[in-house]
Amino acid sequence: MKTAKLTDSEYLVKAGKIIRARQMTKIEKLFEISLPGGESLDHEPGQFVMVSIPGVGEAPLSISSSPTKRGSFEIVIRNVGKVTNALHKFDTGDTVGIRGPFGKGFPVQILEGNDLLFVAGGLGIVPLRSLINFVIDNRRDFGKVTILLGCKTPQDMLFGDEVDSWSKRLDVNFDITVDRCEDPDYKGNIGLITKLIPGVTLDPERTFAAVIGPPVMYKFVLIELLKKEIPERQILVSLERHMKCGIGKCGHCQIQNYYCCKDGPVFTYEQIKDKKEAL
Amino acid sequence: MQYQVLKKINFNDFIASLAKIEKVVAPVARGYNTFSFQEVKNGQDVAVKYIPTILPPKKYFFPQREKLIEFNKNAGTFEALLEYEKMVIFGVHTCDLAGVQCLNMVFSDKPKDINYLVRKNKIIIIGLECNEYCDQYASCKVVDNHLPNGGYDLFFTELNDSFIVHVNTIYGDELIDKTRLFNPAEQIHLDQLEAVRQKKREIFKEEVKVTHNDLAKLFDKSFDSKVWDDLDARCVGCGNCTNVCPTCYCFDVLDNMNLDFNTGDRSRMWDSCQNEPFAKVAGGENFRKTRGARQRHRYFRKFKYPVERYSRYFCTGCGRCTRTCMAKISLKETINALVDSKEEQK
């Protein structure tokens, strides 16, 4: 058996330096990461990176920052597995392995000039934030912008300050709901995110909806969006799957004939509506 | 098209002289009706008549375990590497040649898998024709792999007292030159080859109740078939079927830390879509919860999804999944059951 060095392997990682770490909730931690030599990640909103710790392993993680933010990028880690638990022990100054960006993100060129409806449930805010901030940073290139957010309790809302600033913008329609709240002074909406959709006024022909949330959320949100008569090809979802390679080989993320990592993770509803096992 | 002839009495010398040039692997008998590709030094080691080996030659192209990266944690360095070995594989049946062709398509699909693509070009393939069926489990005709469709450097067909050899590449031609045991084929050999092929056209019939072209259409309408419930009840989820499949290429990527707790490697290992956590995400959701859904996925990955992506079936008809199944799930019976259940629906 011989071995040779490869300089063009898809599995080669870059050393990503954590330049800022922030514990967001008990289970979610944000890292801002820069690549060697200040190289830009050059991602599309909706893409993901493979983040790794030598000796522990790799995990696919959504990029949360907008590509308009240059020089570094952000990821949010919920500690639910081996790699993410180990990542939670990392802090500013530590180095992680980075591969990517991978996958097909949101088609921002196609979205230009159209009205946008963002629907994010729970951790879905993390990847959707990349697109929301991209749109806000290029605000005049887009039509009407509506942001609908949902989470379990007010304390679970990620990016609270940023969400607050979105809610105050005159050029953004904004609404938020929580599943439950024990605080008697809470004046906001209580209930599922699906309840927010009927109240939105939109022109379905020129509206694109971008939806990200836990698997169970999609079915119900999609029903509401279809009731609004938004065309199927203008409803964009991002699907979560188990991934090992990121390049359409390892098979874990397969949704019928699609590889979620390569053909997605962003799909139109039209692409996946007949794919059983997709939602 | 160039044909050469090797006399059977020279076969042992051929393998022996080949083994002096390069590492040679070939089917070797491993107990009753069981064979595996192993290194050989001379022709007596080779099982010229054999049923498909336990593992297909896939193991040389896409090893069970392969290092992708070596790292040094303290130094913060990562190096990508390729492990390879030059070799000649002798005796690859047409089903397994098709299997390698399928893997070639997958790993050259962009983004390319450099590890696979470099390694495959270090391997010389010598095919070997099946003049008749290996056993009742094969279904090579319905997927059109009972006759050679390329994918080899040399291709051997057994005649009465000789092998007629199709020389397909210059690498094959070099081996002919170096071993000096071959003579150009004469008309009589070409006639005998044609007779073998003619006889094969009579012996090999579509092994299931559906034609080559209708097989894809059958799967277009079989996603909700009750047949998968039957497999759900029988499958034990062991993953044998995917391990022995010449076109299954799913893998896991794992880190291994050395005892110094500083250096180590990131490797890929064969994985199986039949394993329960294969499609499970970190949040706990499993997109193929049942063994029936996972078996259905395996069948669709042979007869539908690759047809859409690569315009070919990823079943080579070798029959390994049926031979190895502990629950006696048969590929031919499953396809026939799908045909029958479709008939009932009408």
Side-chain angles (χ1 to χ4, degrees):
Chain A
M1 185 75 72
K2 290 182 180 167
T3 55
K5 245 193 234 178
L6 288 178
T7 51
D8 49 357
S9 165
E10 291 289 337
Y11 297 96
L12 202 53
V13 303
K14 289 174 183 163
K17 188 145 201 143
I18 300 173
I19 57 173
R20 186 167 62 97
R22 184 163 67 87
Q23 193 74 41
M24 305 179 85
T25 68
K26 269 184 200 157
I27 54 168
E28 277 116 8
K29 194 165 180 175
L30 176 133
F31 288 147
E32 184 176 346
I33 294 171
S34 69
L35 294 176
E39 186 194 336
S40 171
L41 185 65
D42 199 23
H43 66 285
E44 300 164 6
Q47 284 190 300
F48 66 95
V49 281
M50 295 295 283
V51 181
S52 62
I53 305 172
V56 181
E58 277 189 314
L61 291 162
S62 301
I63 303 157
S64 186
S65 52
S66 159
T68 42
K69 174 183 163 62
R70 313 286 297 173
S72 66
F73 63 96
E74 291 163 352
I75 53 173
V76 174
I77 296 142
R78 179 178 277 184
N79 57 346
V80 286
K82 190 174 70 170
V83 177
T84 49
N85 274 319
L87 279 169
H88 262 241
K89 298 187 182 106
F90 276 49
D91 220 325
T92 308
D94 288 336
T95 302
V96 292
I98 300 288
R99 288 200 288 136
F102 293 119
K104 242 177 84 209
F106 290 98
V108 286
Q109 296 85 350
I110 294 171
L111 300 185
E112 261 194 42
N114 290 287
D115 294 348
L116 300 176
L117 170 62
F118 297 109
V119 183
L123 213 50
I125 180 91
V126 172
L128 200 57
R129 172 177 171 257
S130 177
L131 180 63
I132 292 174
N133 280 336
F134 178 86
V135 168
I136 282 178
D137 290 343
N138 297 284
R139 184 62 192 87
R140 68 162 188 221
D141 300 336
F142 298 88
K144 202 167 101 177
V145 172
T146 306
I147 302 174
L148 304 179
L149 303 178
C151 60
K152 281 186 185 140
T153 73
Q155 288 75 39
D156 295 318
M157 194 66 235
L158 299 173
F159 301 105
D161 295 345
E162 223 169 289
V163 167
D164 212 36
S165 77
W166 297 341
S167 73
K168 290 184 179 128
R169 288 182 71 110
L170 292 173
D171 55 3
V172 168
N173 301 309
F174 180 93
D175 211 348
I176 184 167
T177 183
V178 296
D179 292 350
R180 57 180 187 275
C181 183
E182 279 152 19
D183 177 6
D185 294 333
Y186 175 78
K187 297 279 189 299
N189 300 308
I190 293 182
L192 296 176
I193 195 161
T194 41
K195 286 193 181 164
L196 300 181
I197 299 169
V200 176
T201 48
L202 53 80
D203 175 358
E205 284 308 312
R206 55 167 300 176
T207 299
F208 278 76
V211 187
I212 311 184
V216 59
M217 188 192 89
Y218 284 110
K219 252 170 251 178
F220 300 103
V221 166
L222 286 166
I223 291 169
E224 293 301 327
L225 295 178
L226 293 169
K227 273 190 210 160
K228 287 276 183 191
E229 292 178 339
I230 300 176
E232 289 170 349
R233 64 174 186 286
Q234 290 174 207
I235 301 174
L236 303 159
V237 298
S238 175
L239 302 183
E240 181 191 5
R241 285 297 183 278
H242 194 43
M243 292 174 185
K244 289 292 182 175
C245 73
I247 55 173
K249 306 275 187 271
C250 80
H252 288 264
C253 72
Q254 198 169 9
I255 304 167
Q256 299 215 1
N257 59 332
Y258 289 133
Y259 282 108
C260 188
C261 70
K262 190 169 114 169
D263 305 313
V266 175
F267 294 97
T268 66
Y269 177 62
E270 189 178 43
Q271 277 180 295
I272 56 147
K273 66 171 177 174
D274 296 325
K275 307 275 177 213
K276 291 179 182 164
E277 299 176 348
L279 293 175
Chain B
M1 292 265 265
Q2 195 199 344
Y3 285 95
Q4 296 277 330
V5 166
L6 175 73
K7 289 202 173 106
K8 279 188 185 170
I9 49 167
N10 288 331
F11 179 74
N12 286 354
D13 288 346
F14 167 66
I15 297 292
S17 59
L18 209 55
K20 283 183 191 127
I21 302 167
E22 212 69 81
K23 176 178 174 175
V24 179
V25 299
V28 170
R30 310 284 287 180
Y32 176 71
N33 214 21
T34 306
F35 302 87
S36 72
F37 279 97
Q38 300 288 330
E39 184 167 6
V40 293
K41 294 289 184 195
N42 65 64
Q44 283 134 358
D45 299 341
V46 179
V48 176
K49 282 207 193 325
Y50 74 99
I51 66 163
T53 48
I54 303 168
L55 292 179
K58 172 177 86 172
K59 65 181 181 179
Y60 298 114
F61 293 82
F62 173 53
Q64 284 103 323
R65 186 183 196 113
E66 170 183 6
K67 278 186 194 176
L68 300 170
I69 297 275
E70 281 182 335
F71 56 77
N72 183 315
K73 201 176 166 186
N74 295 342
T77 55
F78 298 91
E79 267 184 10
L81 68 142
L82 160 72
E83 297 172 324
Y84 68 95
E85 201 168 9
K86 283 180 87 172
M87 68 176 80
V88 176
I89 307 181
F90 175 83
V92 182
H93 283 166
T94 47
C95 53
D96 286 342
L97 290 173
V100 174
Q101 286 173 324
C102 291
L103 295 180
N104 290 346
M105 286 175 149
V106 168
F107 287 107
S108 59
D109 199 0
K110 284 185 177 170
K112 291 179 184 174
D113 190 287
I114 306 297
N115 293 62
Y116 177 92
L117 294 176
V118 175
R119 187 181 304 111
K120 112 179 148 73
N121 284 339
K122 307 283 182 193
I123 299 173
I124 290 175
I125 303 177
I126 303 179
L128 175 63
E129 183 142 18
C130 301
N131 292 7
E132 49 199 32
Y133 272 116
C134 50
D135 64 17
Q136 72 273 28
Y137 302 118
S139 57
C140 42
K141 166 70 171 106
V142 74
V143 287
D144 222 0
N145 287 332
H146 60 306
L147 293 170
N149 294 315
Y152 52 81
D153 296 283
L154 295 174
F155 188 79
F156 277 51
T157 303
E158 191 176 353
L159 304 177
N160 297 334
D161 55 359
S162 61
F163 293 97
I164 185 165
V165 180
H166 179 220
V167 184
N168 197 33
T169 68
I170 54 164
Y171 309 106
D173 197 36
E174 277 173 21
L175 294 184
I176 299 276
D177 280 351
K178 283 181 188 163
T179 50
R180 295 171 176 272
L181 291 163
F182 293 78
N183 295 309
E186 291 163 24
Q187 190 56 44
I188 183 168
H189 300 115
L190 295 171
D191 291 345
Q192 283 177 25
L193 175 64
E194 185 44 40
V196 168
R197 297 274 161 85
Q198 189 51 43
K199 202 175 156 206
K200 278 182 76 171
R201 283 185 197 102
E202 287 159 24
I203 300 171
F204 287 79
K205 300 282 181 218
E206 277 159 345
E207 299 86 354
V208 287
K209 298 180 191 171
V210 64
T211 63
H212 178 83
N213 288 334
D214 288 344
L215 194 48
K217 290 178 208 151
L218 173 69
F219 278 85
D220 282 345
K221 297 191 176 84
S222 293
F223 199 88
D224 294 318
S225 171
K226 286 197 172 124
V227 172
W228 309 121
D229 298 339
D230 173 47
L231 296 199
D232 184 65
R234 291 160 64 197
C235 175
V236 296
C238 68
N240 276 355
C241 50
T242 56
N243 280 332
V244 300
C245 178
T247 70
C248 274
Y249 54 88
C250 288
F251 57 85
D252 195 2
V253 178
L254 294 170
D255 279 25
N256 307 291
M257 190 62 112
N258 295 333
L259 284 175
D260 62 9
F261 278 97
N262 179 39
T263 59
D265 63 79
R266 183 160 296 154
S267 295
R268 69 172 161 207
M269 283 175 71
W270 289 2
D271 202 347
S272 172
C273 62
Q274 301 304 299
N275 293 342
E276 193 269 338
F278 187 82
K280 203 174 190 173
V281 294
E285 181 95 4
N286 190 343
F287 294 94
R288 283 185 291 276
K289 285 187 197 78
T290 64
R291 288 191 286 262
R294 298 195 288 274
Q295 276 291 339
R296 172 176 62 198
H297 184 67
R298 179 172 77 88
Y299 276 88
F300 273 70
R301 277 196 68 150
K302 303 299 160 198
F303 296 105
K304 184 165 191 319
Y305 310 147
V307 177
E308 289 163 13
R309 201 174 267 270
Y310 302 111
S311 295
R312 75 178 287 163
Y313 294 124
F314 265 40
C315 175
T316 68
C318 71
R320 283 186 179 89
C321 55
T322 308
R323 272 179 222 107
T324 196
C325 182
M326 300 196 285
K328 297 198 166 21
I329 292 170
S330 153
L331 182 116
K332 283 161 64 177
E333 285 170 17
T334 305
I335 291 172
N336 284 339
L338 289 172
V339 175
D340 292 345
S341 69
K342 220 176 117 200
E343 294 293 319
E344 281 166 29
Q345 283 166 21
K346 276 179 190 169

